[in-house]
PDB file of all heavy atoms in Angstrom:
ATOM      1  N   HIS A  36     -13.759  11.141  -7.867  1.00 73.00           N
ATOM      2  CA  HIS A  36     -14.965  10.376  -8.170  1.00 73.00           C
ATOM      3  C   HIS A  36     -14.659   8.896  -8.384  1.00 73.00           C
ATOM      4  O   HIS A  36     -15.133   8.272  -9.331  1.00 73.00           O
ATOM      5  CB  HIS A  36     -15.672  10.940  -9.408  1.00 73.00           C
ATOM      6  CG  HIS A  36     -15.932  12.412  -9.321  1.00 73.00           C
ATOM      7  ND1 HIS A  36     -16.701  12.973  -8.323  1.00 73.00           N
ATOM      8  CD2 HIS A  36     -15.515  13.446 -10.108  1.00 73.00           C
ATOM      9  CE1 HIS A  36     -16.755  14.283  -8.495  1.00 73.00           C
ATOM     10  NE2 HIS A  36     -16.036  14.593  -9.558  1.00 73.00           N
ATOM     11  N   THR A 156     -18.973   8.081  -7.633  1.00 48.00           N
ATOM     12  CA  THR A 156     -19.523   9.325  -7.108  1.00 48.00           C
ATOM     13  C   THR A 156     -20.390   9.984  -8.164  1.00 48.00           C
ATOM     14  O   THR A 156     -20.023  10.049  -9.337  1.00 48.00           O
ATOM     15  CB  THR A 156     -18.392  10.298  -6.695  1.00 48.00           C
ATOM     16  OG1 THR A 156     -17.592   9.644  -5.719  1.00 48.00           O
ATOM     17  CG2 THR A 156     -18.968  11.561  -6.100  1.00 48.00           C
ATOM     18  N   ASP A 157     -21.522  10.503  -7.764  1.00 44.00           N
ATOM     19  CA  ASP A 157     -22.432  11.163  -8.693  1.00 44.00           C
ATOM     20  C   ASP A 157     -21.847  12.497  -9.116  1.00 44.00           C
ATOM     21  O   ASP A 157     -21.699  13.414  -8.321  1.00 44.00           O
ATOM     22  CB  ASP A 157     -23.793  11.355  -8.005  1.00 44.00           C
ATOM     23  CG  ASP A 157     -24.831  11.926  -8.962  1.00 44.00           C
ATOM     24  OD1 ASP A 157     -24.496  12.148 -10.138  1.00 44.00           O
ATOM     25  OD2 ASP A 157     -25.978  12.147  -8.507  1.00 44.00           O
ATOM     26  N   ASP A 158     -21.535  12.603 -10.422  1.00 45.00           N
ATOM     27  CA  ASP A 158     -20.932  13.850 -10.906  1.00 45.00           C
ATOM     28  C   ASP A 158     -21.885  15.029 -10.825  1.00 45.00           C
ATOM     29  O   ASP A 158     -21.466  16.181 -10.843  1.00 45.00           O
ATOM     30  CB  ASP A 158     -20.487  13.684 -12.361  1.00 45.00           C
ATOM     31  CG  ASP A 158     -19.336  12.706 -12.479  1.00 45.00           C
ATOM     32  OD1 ASP A 158     -18.579  12.592 -11.507  1.00 45.00           O
ATOM     33  OD2 ASP A 158     -19.204  12.067 -13.539  1.00 45.00           O
ATOM     34  N   ASP A 159     -23.201  14.740 -10.763  1.00 41.00           N
ATOM     35  CA  ASP A 159     -24.173  15.821 -10.735  1.00 41.00           C
ATOM     36  C   ASP A 159     -24.499  16.277  -9.317  1.00 41.00           C
ATOM     37  O   ASP A 159     -25.286  17.198  -9.110  1.00 41.00           O
ATOM     38  CB  ASP A 159     -25.478  15.356 -11.403  1.00 41.00           C
ATOM     39  CG  ASP A 159     -25.243  15.041 -12.881  1.00 41.00           C
ATOM     40  OD1 ASP A 159     -24.406  15.727 -13.486  1.00 41.00           O
ATOM     41  OD2 ASP A 159     -25.893  14.110 -13.400  1.00 41.00           O
ATOM     42  N   ALA A 160     -23.910  15.599  -8.332  1.00 41.00           N
ATOM     43  CA  ALA A 160     -24.193  15.967  -6.945  1.00 41.00           C
ATOM     44  C   ALA A 160     -23.597  17.329  -6.650  1.00 41.00           C
ATOM     45  O   ALA A 160     -22.530  17.696  -7.153  1.00 41.00           O
ATOM     46  CB  ALA A 160     -23.602  14.920  -6.004  1.00 41.00           C
ATOM     47  N   PRO A 161     -24.254  18.117  -5.813  1.00 41.00           N
ATOM     48  CA  PRO A 161     -23.726  19.442  -5.491  1.00 41.00           C
ATOM     49  C   PRO A 161     -22.412  19.343  -4.747  1.00 41.00           C
ATOM     50  O   PRO A 161     -22.228  18.469  -3.913  1.00 41.00           O
ATOM     51  CB  PRO A 161     -24.829  20.040  -4.597  1.00 41.00           C
ATOM     52  CG  PRO A 161     -25.569  18.871  -4.053  1.00 41.00           C
ATOM     53  CD  PRO A 161     -25.520  17.835  -5.110  1.00 41.00           C
ATOM     54  N   SER A 162     -21.512  20.241  -5.063  1.00 46.00           N
ATOM     55  CA  SER A 162     -20.206  20.202  -4.421  1.00 46.00           C
ATOM     56  C   SER A 162     -20.242  20.896  -3.081  1.00 46.00           C
ATOM     57  O   SER A 162     -21.026  21.792  -2.844  1.00 46.00           O
ATOM     58  CB  SER A 162     -19.155  20.892  -5.325  1.00 46.00           C
ATOM     59  OG  SER A 162     -19.523  22.233  -5.534  1.00 46.00           O
ATOM     60  N   ASP A 163     -19.372  20.441  -2.213  1.00 46.00           N
ATOM     61  CA  ASP A 163     -19.261  21.029  -0.885  1.00 46.00           C
ATOM     62  C   ASP A 163     -18.159  22.093  -0.917  1.00 46.00           C
ATOM     63  O   ASP A 163     -16.998  21.789  -1.136  1.00 46.00           O
ATOM     64  CB  ASP A 163     -18.915  19.926   0.130  1.00 46.00           C
ATOM     65  CG  ASP A 163     -18.876  20.462   1.557  1.00 46.00           C
ATOM     66  OD1 ASP A 163     -19.026  21.683   1.728  1.00 46.00           O
ATOM     67  OD2 ASP A 163     -18.688  19.656   2.488  1.00 46.00           O
ATOM     68  N   LYS A 164     -18.537  23.328  -0.701  1.00 44.00           N
ATOM     69  CA  LYS A 164     -17.567  24.422  -0.795  1.00 44.00           C
ATOM     70  C   LYS A 164     -16.461  24.300   0.250  1.00 44.00           C
ATOM     71  O   LYS A 164     -15.379  24.827   0.080  1.00 44.00           O
ATOM     72  CB  LYS A 164     -18.289  25.764  -0.636  1.00 44.00           C
ATOM     73  CG  LYS A 164     -19.245  26.082  -1.791  1.00 44.00           C
ATOM     74  CD  LYS A 164     -19.893  27.447  -1.604  1.00 44.00           C
ATOM     75  CE  LYS A 164     -20.828  27.775  -2.757  1.00 44.00           C
ATOM     76  NZ  LYS A 164     -21.472  29.091  -2.603  1.00 44.00           N
ATOM     77  N   GLU A 166     -15.081  21.511   1.068  1.00 63.00           N
ATOM     78  CA  GLU A 166     -14.214  20.383   0.729  1.00 63.00           C
ATOM     79  C   GLU A 166     -12.839  20.887   0.291  1.00 63.00           C
ATOM     80  O   GLU A 166     -12.725  21.832  -0.485  1.00 63.00           O
ATOM     81  CB  GLU A 166     -14.850  19.567  -0.397  1.00 63.00           C
ATOM     82  CG  GLU A 166     -14.012  18.376  -0.846  1.00 63.00           C
ATOM     83  CD  GLU A 166     -13.984  17.275   0.180  1.00 63.00           C
ATOM     84  OE1 GLU A 166     -14.912  17.201   1.000  1.00 63.00           O
ATOM     85  OE2 GLU A 166     -13.018  16.492   0.167  1.00 63.00           O
TER      86      GLU A 166
END
Side-chain angles (χ1 to χ4, degrees):
H36 308 300
T156 302
D157 185 1
D158 293 332
D159 296 326
S162 60
D163 184 355
K164 293 182 179 180
E166 179 71 24

